[in-house]
Amino acid sequence: MGEIRLKHTELKHYESLLNYTLSDEQKTFTALPVETFERLKERTDNYAKPITILLNDKPIGFFVLDYGDDKLELTKNENSLLVRSLSVNPIYQGKGYGKIAMKLVDNFVRDNFPTIDELVLAVNFKNKSAYDLYLKVGYIDDGSQREWYNGSQHLLKKKL
């Protein structure tokens, strides 16, 4: 199967991350890495940290850990991180790599963001596969939700 690791995104990861696309359905639920990198360039706060999912040191996926104020739309906890823009290159989907990566996030956050004690995220009601994945790796759905530009979202939390 290979070793899955998480690493802060490095310049050498960009080519692999910028060269995959997602199905139209997936693109309604998450941003492509190329779109996310553009958004991160526009931000002035430097609170969003891109993270690469590596399979045997090859970049196969991506997400962002964001400790800016957006997280406060999902929690009142100042010591939380917002997980956003998760995607896995389609040729590596369906193999359990996303689930392994999301299980690794807890220790990655403990090691790199020691003051953080909660992870939060929002997932579209129609994105059942992502919702199921997050529940399997320990996120809790307390019934909180919000309306978003592409529909209703579950607001999920995970204590560290």
Side-chain angles (χ1 to χ4, degrees):
M1 182 172 196
E3 181 192 19
I4 296 291
R5 291 186 309 116
L6 304 179
K7 192 162 190 179
H8 288 277
T9 301
E10 299 174 357
L11 207 50
K12 66 183 180 182
H13 300 155
Y14 278 72
E15 186 176 349
S16 295
L17 296 174
L18 295 176
N19 284 325
Y20 71 80
T21 190
L22 299 170
S23 71
D24 288 343
E25 180 186 8
Q26 289 174 325
K27 285 192 271 189
T28 64
F29 301 131
T30 194
L32 286 167
V34 66
E35 297 164 335
T36 302
F37 290 134
E38 284 302 313
R39 261 190 249 131
L40 293 178
K41 276 196 257 180
E42 294 168 8
R43 287 181 63 161
T44 57
D45 60 18
N46 200 30
Y47 290 149
K49 303 298 181 192
I51 309 298
T52 301
I53 302 168
L54 298 167
L55 170 62
N56 300 328
D57 293 322
K58 178 177 179 39
I60 65 160
F62 172 83
F63 62 95
V64 173
L65 293 174
D66 189 342
Y67 52 98
D69 287 342
D70 286 358
K71 69 185 180 194
L72 299 175
E73 296 173 19
L74 284 70
T75 182
K76 291 177 175 43
N77 183 354
E78 292 280 348
N79 295 320
S80 64
L81 268 176
L82 173 60
V83 180
R84 61 188 339 163
S85 302
L86 170 66
S87 68
V88 173
N89 184 326
I91 64 174
Y92 298 101
Q93 290 178 11
K95 298 172 176 21
Y97 298 138
K99 182 178 177 184
I100 294 167
M102 288 299 98
K103 284 182 176 180
L104 294 174
V105 170
D106 300 14
N107 284 333
F108 185 86
V109 168
R110 284 186 194 103
D111 292 345
N112 292 277
F113 306 90
T115 61
I116 298 301
D117 60 18
E118 181 182 49
L119 300 173
V120 296
L121 58 85
V123 61
N124 191 290
F125 276 33
K126 296 176 191 158
N127 193 352
K128 181 134 175 57
S129 62
Y131 177 76
D132 291 344
L133 165 75
Y134 293 127
L135 293 182
K136 284 177 189 164
V137 299
Y139 285 84
I140 304 298
D141 183 353
D142 66 4
S144 300
Q145 56 185 276
R146 71 175 179 187
E147 290 304 313
W148 204 240
Y149 72 92
N150 60 352
S152 300
Q153 293 183 319
H154 298 280
L155 306 181
L156 305 182
K157 298 175 182 174
K158 185 179 193 180
K159 292 288 185 199
L160 296 180

